[in-house]
Amino acid sequence: MSRHTMTGYTMTGRSVTLWRVAAASVAFLAVTPFIAGRVALSAPTGNPASACAFQPQAAAITAPLPHLAGRIDAGGPLRIVAIGSSSTAGAGASRPDRSYPARLAELLQQRLPGVAVDVLNKGVNGEVGTQMLRRFQRDVLDQKPDLVIWQVGANTVLRGEDPGAAETVIRTGIQQLKAAGMDVVLMDLQYAPAMLSKPTHEDMQARIARIAEDEGVGLFRRFAAMRQWVETRQASMSDLVGPDGIHLNDVGYDCLARSLSASLKDAAGLRKAPVADKGQPPSGG
């Protein structure tokens, strides 16, 4: 994957207040072939962005997000840190405001009128979980967000590294974030040709889902959402993924942000079911 570094920028409402791109060495990712029978290649009719915009079911976040909900109930301001690798940084987007964190900020601002929304993009191209963990203090904890969206695991799969070791790192990171009083949402892998060609992608997907369940944090199922859009022919693979076979393009990032913004708002409305007093039968039937 490319090694450009796209450090954090803040988007409050509709304006990007910081975007910095530092030149670094470039390592080109060989594009792997499409897997027969796994993806739909014909383009749908209509606008792909509008077609996939309101399909949050596959990516629904089922864990409550109490800090996010509390901040929204209080009228804001709301701060989110998006940390991850190139698909957080925005590789494949035509310009900075087309990355998923930038689009998420704008869409959440629309869904939450009157609430100031601040999304910090802390994606760095090419990183794996251990590298992200080393910058948690500076890029996450010191920012004091209400919510952390952690996109992780993709480069572990693409490089053929050990998913078990990655699982240990992810669990360690989640525990640090929870101890700091932050809501956490994991974002899993992208549904893309280069990812589908890797034999460990299913194992990594299963591990991320298990970690989220065990740790009681949110999970945004990016892989399932993208697969749904392709398999139901709302969008073709080429509508969502760029020519390198792994990074999303402008339409893909827009679809991702639309589904994520809807899922976050829905999750903020979740409340844990009350626990019945001992000795009292539960109400309802």
Side-chain angles (χ1 to χ4, degrees):
M1 299 183 66
S2 61
R3 295 291 300 176
H4 298 80
T5 300
M6 195 171 298
T7 58
Y9 68 89
T10 303
M11 185 163 186
T12 303
R14 294 179 179 270
S15 62
V16 178
T17 60
L18 175 62
W19 178 271
R20 185 173 59 197
V21 180
S25 61
V26 178
F28 290 99
L29 171 69
V31 179
T32 53
F34 288 79
I35 299 175
R38 295 296 299 275
V39 298
L41 299 178
S42 58
T45 59
N47 181 351
S50 61
C52 65
F54 302 105
Q55 299 293 326
Q57 296 88 348
I61 299 168
T62 57
L65 302 174
H67 297 92
L68 179 71
R71 186 65 70 184
I72 293 172
D73 290 346
L78 173 62
R79 170 166 284 195
I80 298 171
V81 165
I83 187 166
S85 56
S86 56
S87 56
T88 296
S94 63
R95 60 187 201 223
D97 63 353
R98 300 291 176 84
S99 67
Y100 105 72
R103 293 293 297 131
L104 178 64
E106 186 172 357
L107 292 162
L108 281 176
Q109 193 72 69
Q110 294 172 9
R111 291 180 179 275
L112 303 170
V115 177
V117 178
D118 189 28
V119 177
L120 304 179
N121 187 335
K122 298 298 183 179
V124 175
N125 290 9
E127 283 198 343
V128 293
T130 52
Q131 295 167 304
M132 298 174 203
L133 196 60
R134 284 197 291 267
R135 56 188 179 90
F136 259 26
Q137 186 63 52
R138 178 195 67 205
D139 285 351
V140 182
L141 301 178
D142 289 350
Q143 306 303 323
K144 302 187 184 304
D146 305 293
L147 169 68
V148 179
I149 303 171
W150 191 8
Q151 170 262 309
V152 66
N155 285 325
T156 295
V157 173
L158 292 172
R159 296 174 184 175
E161 297 180 359
D162 179 17
E167 177 175 346
T168 300
V169 170
I170 296 169
R171 289 184 184 274
T172 299
I174 289 174
Q175 289 163 10
Q176 289 183 13
L177 298 174
K178 288 168 62 177
M182 300 166 184
D183 289 340
V184 181
V185 169
L186 294 178
M187 180 184 292
D188 62 11
L189 312 179
Q190 60 267 62
Y191 183 75
M195 189 66 70
L196 293 172
S197 72
K198 300 300 180 180
T200 60
H201 80 270
E202 292 181 342
D203 182 21
M204 192 74 251
Q205 283 287 104
R207 287 176 185 272
I208 294 173
R210 184 169 62 247
I211 293 166
E213 182 177 4
D214 291 349
E215 300 293 339
V217 300
L219 172 62
F220 179 75
R221 296 173 176 84
R222 174 173 55 161
F223 189 95
M226 292 181 67
R227 180 171 59 190
Q228 181 187 70
W229 296 329
V230 171
E231 291 183 348
T232 59
R233 300 174 67 85
Q234 295 177 75
S236 69
M237 186 68 82
S238 60
D239 285 326
L240 303 172
V241 179
D244 67 357
I246 190 62
H247 293 113
L248 276 62
N249 54 28
D250 288 351
V251 171
Y253 284 128
D254 183 67
C255 286
L256 176 66
R258 288 178 183 274
S259 184
L260 179 56
S261 65
S263 298
L264 288 174
K265 186 177 181 183
D266 289 346
L270 294 175
R271 297 292 188 271
K272 291 183 178 180
V275 178
D277 292 337
K278 292 183 179 179
Q280 298 293 327
S283 60

